[in-house]
Amino acid sequence: MFNLFLTRASRLSSLTKHNALPSFSLYRDVHSIPLATVEAEEISGARPAEVLNLVQGKWSGSSNWNTIVDPLNGEPFIKVAEVDEAGVQPFVESLTSCPKHGLHNPFKAPERYLMYGDISAKAAHMLSLPKVSDFFTRLIQRVSPKSYQQAYAEVYVTQKFLENFCGDQVRFLARSFAVPGNHLGQQSHGFRWPYGPVAIVTPFNFPLEIPVLQLMGALYMGNKPVLKVDSKVSIVMEQMLRLLHSCGLPVEDVDFINCDGKTMNKLLLEANPRMTLFTGSSRVAEKLAVDLKGRVKLEDAGFDWKILGPDVHQEDYIAWVCDQDAYACSGQKCSAQSLLFMHENWSKTSLISKMKDLAERRKLADLTIGPVLTFTTESLLEHKNKLLEIPGSKLLFGGQPLEDHSIPQIYGAIKPTAVYVPLEEIVKDKNYELVTKEIFGPFQVVTDYTSNQLPIVLDVLEKMHAHLTAAVVSNDPLFLQEVIGKSVNGTTYAGLRARTTGAPQNHWFGPAGDPRGAGIGTPEAIKLVWSCHREIIYDYGPVSNDWEIPASS
């Protein structure tokens, strides 16, 4: 029976029909991963999954259950135990029980650095197992529909991140330094110090990768986090926490809350965490910055640009990368290509035609295009129509609703879309805000420029408020030097193979130009976001035998 169940679990789930098992409880002990409480392909209206909260080391339900609908067919299929404002006190007490000096630091419980190296090793191994990686891949697909390859990439990045911090790598994050003092017996030492009680708020689009990478970074440095993931996808992280517990994560080290934004805001104000990591919209980020008096790190909106330089190479390859950057995950990446600047040399090629052909290959059946979870179809089409009112604008491709689907009306469903807007119109004040509005979906604006207009392009970049990712597609070193030297984006790809989307476990991923900016994935990101600098000056002496009290100064 066990082998039969795993064989069934390895198959890609049906996108529209889900047959429930006769008895949910009968099969609880043969799930794909340790302590799992669901099977992705069995979740349905007839057998809905439940998502619990974790506080003070115990899983708990709630009197309030938020029903999540299947984004592909509108069927209620997940019940989330949501905490309301009256129920935050246990979370407040749990968070405030952690001292400011954290659960561990270089002078306190250093063995916990080693413990987290071991936890990372075990969790990385678990995610490397095909049955486990397939479980999370399919679970991601159920709540944040994307192709199997895109969902699996999220699991793969998470696994590689955990591999990066096995063994001694966690304690190396807390590496200190010493500087000679002014006299014998004096030395100054710099240490990476935890904040203690912290909070993490993450969005729907990467339900495993973003929360795991930020959560583990917080824990590595000695903090105690409370984690809130968008309720639409929180089942993924609930299951991952259960896996981490089976790998040795102490159940008291992390609290996990399901709630709405208003309740989370109340929790943050009452618990007063020393630092809050927020990944999501700029509007919420700015509110949190004020409410929490600046004790935040932000990885907020990404209106990301790509510039194609004057040197034309590998047209098919560039078209494919543009398609992936703009439309993979239905454009619901904070690093998605939002604005494409083509040098006039590229305008003379068949690039747009090839991008159109690639976009039209995408289909709902394999989730290479799918539901947009933050915009309705009506609002997406309305934005397209407003852009087309700009003089000289034209629809390059797409711009129509998806057909023959059962995606609920609360979500968006449109074909991959590109709208051309002339550069001279983009720079006009009346058009700029509209053109650079972030549309978290399969939507991009395309324009072109001449060599003499590059300063205008750079001015457009300078006016932007979000500086997350960017791509400069050129092998001309002088062109690269010019653009990189006069732009800001924190994760910028440069060269013929440049993209806007990438894998954050092997390089810094985060915005630049804002002191509140948060990174993810690398040792530098973890140390910046999840620790602060503490300087300890040792001054042992000796004091000279002939020392005398000096005059007042």
Side-chain angles (χ1 to χ4, degrees):
M1 174 61 74
F2 182 68
N3 289 335
L4 174 63
F5 193 92
L6 293 184
T7 299
R8 294 184 66 243
S10 67
R11 296 199 303 263
L12 183 63
S13 61
S14 167
L15 300 179
T16 56
K17 296 181 180 179
H18 310 286
N19 297 319
L21 288 171
S23 173
F24 181 71
S25 60
L26 178 64
Y27 292 91
R28 287 177 66 91
D29 294 332
V30 290
H31 286 295
S32 295
I33 65 172
L35 303 183
T37 60
V38 301
E39 270 296 344
E41 62 185 5
E42 309 301 340
I43 304 172
S44 67
R47 194 68 66 182
E50 293 184 355
V51 182
L52 303 181
N53 301 286
L54 177 65
V55 61
Q56 299 178 8
K58 296 180 180 179
W59 291 102
S60 61
S62 171
S63 58
N64 301 305
W65 292 87
N66 179 19
T67 300
I68 307 299
V69 299
D70 189 322
L72 290 173
N73 59 29
E75 181 183 53
F77 76 142
I78 298 175
K79 296 193 297 182
V80 180
E82 289 208 345
V83 177
D84 59 20
E85 292 185 65
V88 300
Q89 192 58 33
F91 294 89
V92 173
E93 293 173 359
S94 182
L95 206 58
T96 55
S97 69
C98 178
K100 295 177 184 177
H101 54 260
L103 300 178
H104 63 264
N105 61 53
F107 290 76
K108 172 188 174 182
E111 65 276 3
R112 283 173 54 91
Y113 293 114
L114 304 182
M115 178 187 76
Y116 273 102
D118 291 341
I119 293 169
S120 296
K122 294 172 183 176
H125 171 70
M126 289 299 298
L127 288 182
S128 74
L129 300 176
K131 65 181 180 181
V132 178
S133 65
D134 180 68
F135 169 84
F136 280 108
T137 299
R138 292 179 298 109
L139 193 57
I140 290 168
Q141 284 190 292
R142 293 301 309 276
V143 294
S144 182
K146 58 185 82 172
S147 70
Y148 191 91
Q149 293 84 352
Q150 289 289 320
Y152 172 74
E154 186 176 341
V155 179
Y156 179 81
V157 166
T158 304
Q159 178 215 334
K160 289 301 178 183
F161 167 84
L162 291 167
E163 287 181 357
N164 287 345
F165 294 99
C166 295
D168 288 324
Q169 297 307 310
V170 174
R171 72 165 142 202
F172 288 163
L173 290 171
R175 188 191 303 272
S176 61
F177 65 83
V179 177
N182 294 334
H183 49 257
L184 183 62
Q186 186 185 74
Q187 284 186 335
S188 59
H189 289 249
F191 295 94
R192 299 311 302 177
W193 213 257
Y195 290 103
V198 298
I200 303 169
V201 182
T202 63
F204 74 91
N205 56 330
F206 286 88
L208 182 73
E209 181 181 333
I210 295 176
V212 171
L213 269 58
Q214 294 292 15
L215 174 67
M216 297 307 290
L219 292 166
Y220 292 157
M221 300 311 296
N223 302 289
K224 175 170 181 170
V226 58
L227 171 65
K228 172 186 159 32
V229 181
D230 189 312
S231 291
K232 292 190 293 291
V233 300
S234 62
I235 189 171
V236 177
M237 200 58 206
E238 189 223 41
Q239 296 299 300
M240 185 64 193
L241 280 170
R242 294 177 187 276
L243 182 144
L244 289 170
H245 290 157
S246 76
C247 294
L249 173 68
V251 292
E252 301 86 2
D253 278 14
V254 180
D255 292 333
F256 179 68
I257 186 170
N258 298 290
C259 63
D260 61 19
K262 186 178 179 182
T263 300
M264 189 63 188
N265 194 254
K266 177 181 175 66
L267 169 59
L268 293 174
L269 292 177
E270 292 192 9
N272 194 29
R274 304 302 299 169
M275 214 289 291
T276 295
L277 178 282
F278 175 79
T279 304
S281 76
S282 294
R283 179 184 59 82
V284 177
E286 293 300 334
K287 172 178 169 51
L288 285 176
V290 174
D291 290 348
L292 302 178
K293 298 179 174 62
R295 295 190 304 275
V296 293
K297 287 290 185 182
L298 308 175
E299 198 267 271
D300 55 352
F303 184 88
D304 307 297
W305 50 264
K306 176 183 288 181
I307 297 176
L308 304 183
D311 48 325
V312 175
H313 308 279
Q314 301 289 330
E315 189 177 317
D316 287 340
Y317 179 81
I318 301 304
W320 175 76
V321 175
C322 285
D323 175 75
Q324 287 292 110
D325 280 348
Y327 305 126
C329 298
S330 300
Q332 295 173 104
K333 294 183 178 182
C334 54
S335 56
Q337 176 179 305
S338 303
L339 178 55
L340 176 65
F341 297 93
M342 298 187 302
H343 188 273
E344 60 180 340
N345 294 344
W346 281 99
S347 302
K348 299 170 185 176
T349 70
S350 57
L351 177 69
I352 295 298
S353 175
K354 291 181 176 180
M355 288 170 55
K356 178 177 182 291
D357 291 342
L358 291 169
E360 290 176 349
R361 295 191 309 173
R362 296 182 174 274
K363 52 187 182 294
L364 185 60
D366 59 7
L367 291 180
T368 50
I369 192 69
V372 177
L373 302 190
T374 53
F375 285 86
T376 64
T377 301
E378 182 181 8
S379 62
L380 291 167
L381 296 179
E382 181 183 3
H383 182 69
K384 176 207 69 172
N385 292 334
K386 287 182 179 179
L387 288 173
L388 292 177
E389 293 174 2
I390 298 174
S393 298
K394 59 184 177 181
L395 181 66
L396 297 176
F397 53 82
Q400 298 295 322
L402 291 179
E403 301 166 348
D404 301 324
H405 66 82
S406 54
I407 296 171
Q409 292 185 355
I410 57 172
Y411 298 137
I414 69 165
K415 297 177 180 179
T417 300
V419 175
Y420 173 85
V421 180
L423 180 62
E424 57 269 22
E425 293 293 331
I426 292 176
V427 298
K428 294 180 179 178
D429 290 341
K430 64 179 181 179
N431 297 327
Y432 185 81
E433 292 299 324
L434 175 65
V435 171
T436 58
K437 178 181 178 180
E438 184 183 20
I439 299 297
F440 214 55
F443 199 107
Q444 66 174 318
V445 173
V446 178
T447 192
D448 50 15
Y449 69 100
T450 66
S451 294
N452 291 335
Q453 289 178 312
L454 181 59
I456 299 176
V457 172
L458 297 175
D459 285 344
V460 172
L461 308 184
E462 178 69 17
K463 290 176 65 177
M464 291 182 184
H465 302 295
H467 303 292
L468 185 53
T469 72
V472 190
V473 183
S474 174
N475 278 351
D476 180 341
L478 296 181
F479 182 83
L480 292 175
Q481 181 174 281
E482 178 76 4
V483 176
I484 294 173
K486 295 181 178 178
S487 58
V488 178
N489 295 46
T491 302
T492 301
Y493 297 87
L496 177 66
R497 300 186 65 172
R499 54 193 178 174
T500 63
T501 60
Q505 102 281 353
N506 63 3
H507 63 69
W508 165 277
F509 185 89
D514 187 335
R516 305 168 301 177
I520 190 172
T522 63
E524 292 77 17
I526 292 171
K527 286 184 278 190
L528 173 80
V529 175
W530 295 116
S531 68
C532 58
H533 182 89
R534 184 182 187 188
E535 193 87 0
I536 297 176
I537 297 89
Y538 292 102
D539 206 343
Y540 297 116
V543 177
S544 174
N545 290 332
D546 59 359
W547 183 85
E548 296 180 357
I549 298 176
S552 298
S553 61

